[in-house]
Amino acid sequence: GAGARGPPLPMPLKWYSIPQCWRYERMTRGRRREHYQWNMDVWGVAGAEAEAELLGAATTFFRRVGLGAEDVGIKVNSRQVLAEIMTKLGVPDDKFGATCVLVDKLEKVPLEAIRPDFLALGLTDEVIDSLVEVLALKTVDELRVLLGDDSKALDHLTSLFAYAEAYGFSDWLVFDASVVRGLSYYTGVVFEAFDRSGEFRAIMGGGRYDKLLSTFGGQPLEAAGFGFGDAVIIELLKSKDLLPTFDASGVQVVVCAFSPELHGAAIEVASKLREAGGAVDLVLESKKPKWVLKHAARLAAEYAVIVAPDEWGQGNVRVKNMAEGEQADVPVGELAEWADANL
């Protein structure tokens, strides 16, 4: 891995994985004890280029499944912004992590329910109220007035929003000073995608975690990434009638021999089509044409190719277009060209 002892990996490093994940969890809609999750990380980049690339990938996915910026927004903030605010409010550094955990809860519970927890950390009522006031700010410019022009955290955020313009996903982003994410390892920019109707919990989330590797004994290395579980996005796509049916098999051509003696010829035909890039289902037994056509229709294949004795004797195969119902003989030597033109 990125922190392993051994030959160093070339940096910057981008990777992704889609593992099956488990957790001890009270199950609710869009949150399960077992799920699949798309993880994507960029290692070795200190600037906002990393977060911009990650959000570019996420928004590209949303677009490809039929969702737009009117359906999904991405709240963006920086834990460094919160750290600078707390410094100005006089909150000690050693209380920062615990304060972030409480701030993360404010989205789900009212302030008065957890005010005693803030007070237990040593924050005064005045500091708590000032903090909550700042968390309600919705523009970087408002924060700039508070933190000043020399704020590194705001510089990083400003760069990210500028890159978002270049990528073309700026209309997806919403600055929200209250977003901190619940996990303590985040060190900078944090983000989470939400459905704009407000029906579901967070769709995906992530951010910057520059100290994570060193926490586990590795060399310090800048890093940013996200986790994108399958549960909420499936519910969202269902609600908008965008979830694919997965009825199509992906098979483009079904190839079948008319008789056992011609199975070798059918193998040759299937191999030529596969070499040309076709997705081919080779039927492993000889079947009557009626069965082959039903099988091709069941798979939603585009073509059925039957290797029959008369056509094969003339150097041809019979190809049926499943959508149009038309059939034609194609010379075996021209199958690659036919595949290029039709598949």
Side-chain angles (χ1 to χ4, degrees), residues 43-229:
W43 300 84
V45 177
E49 295 86 356
E51 292 94 329
E53 179 80 337
L54 291 162
L55 291 173
T59 51
T60 296
F61 169 81
F62 285 129
R63 288 191 185 102
R64 288 184 180 176
V65 295
L67 296 168
E70 68 280 4
D71 304 304
V72 174
I74 301 175
K75 296 177 184 177
V76 180
N77 190 26
S78 171
R79 280 204 171 194
Q80 285 302 314
V81 165
L82 198 59
E84 290 180 15
I85 290 167
M86 288 194 204
T87 298
K88 284 189 175 291
L89 293 175
V91 178
D93 290 346
D94 61 347
K95 304 295 183 186
F96 176 69
T99 304
C100 282
V101 171
L102 293 177
V103 168
D104 187 55
K105 290 181 179 179
L106 284 173
E107 190 179 9
K108 307 174 187 74
V109 297
L111 171 61
E112 295 313 313
I114 55 174
R115 184 182 287 271
D117 298 319
F118 279 110
L119 292 170
L121 290 175
L123 278 66
T124 65
D125 280 314
E126 185 183 358
V127 167
I128 296 167
D129 292 336
S130 295
L131 180 59
V132 171
E133 219 173 281
V134 172
L135 295 175
L137 298 179
K138 296 299 180 187
T139 70
V140 174
D141 289 340
E142 288 176 299
L143 265 182
R144 182 77 70 180
V145 172
L146 183 70
L147 295 178
D149 290 333
D150 58 347
S151 168
K152 290 183 179 178
L154 287 185
D155 287 345
H156 196 105
L157 273 177
T158 301
S159 294
L160 175 55
F161 277 90
Y163 289 139
E165 290 279 353
Y167 275 92
F169 63 76
S170 59
D171 51 340
W172 296 70
L173 302 190
V174 179
F175 174 74
D176 188 333
S178 68
V179 173
V180 296
R181 304 287 296 162
L183 298 171
S184 60
Y185 55 69
Y186 288 116
T187 57
V189 167
V190 285
F191 50 82
E192 59 184 43
F194 65 99
D195 77 291
R196 294 196 188 260
S197 68
E199 186 180 350
F200 302 100
R201 61 191 307 129
I203 304 166
M204 56 80 76
R208 178 165 287 277
Y209 37 88
D210 290 342
K211 296 178 182 176
L212 188 61
L213 272 187
S214 57
T215 301
F216 290 101
Q219 295 297 314
L221 184 63
E222 304 90 349
F226 65 72
F228 195 143

Side-chain angles (χ1 to χ4, degrees), residues 251-258 262-274 278-287 291-293 295-296 299 301 303-308 312 317-319 335 338 343:
V251 171
Q252 295 171 292
V253 185
V254 170
V255 175
C256 185
F258 187 81
L262 288 169
H263 189 65
I267 292 172
E268 184 182 331
V269 170
S271 297
K272 286 180 183 294
L273 293 172
R274 286 168 176 166
V280 179
D281 177 31
L282 172 63
V283 178
L284 301 180
E285 301 172 296
S286 56
K287 296 285 186 181
W291 183 95
V292 177
L293 296 178
H295 178 64
L299 294 179
Y303 297 93
V305 175
I306 297 175
V307 182
W312 185 254
V317 289
R318 179 67 53 88
V319 177
L335 279 172
W338 176 87
L343 300 181

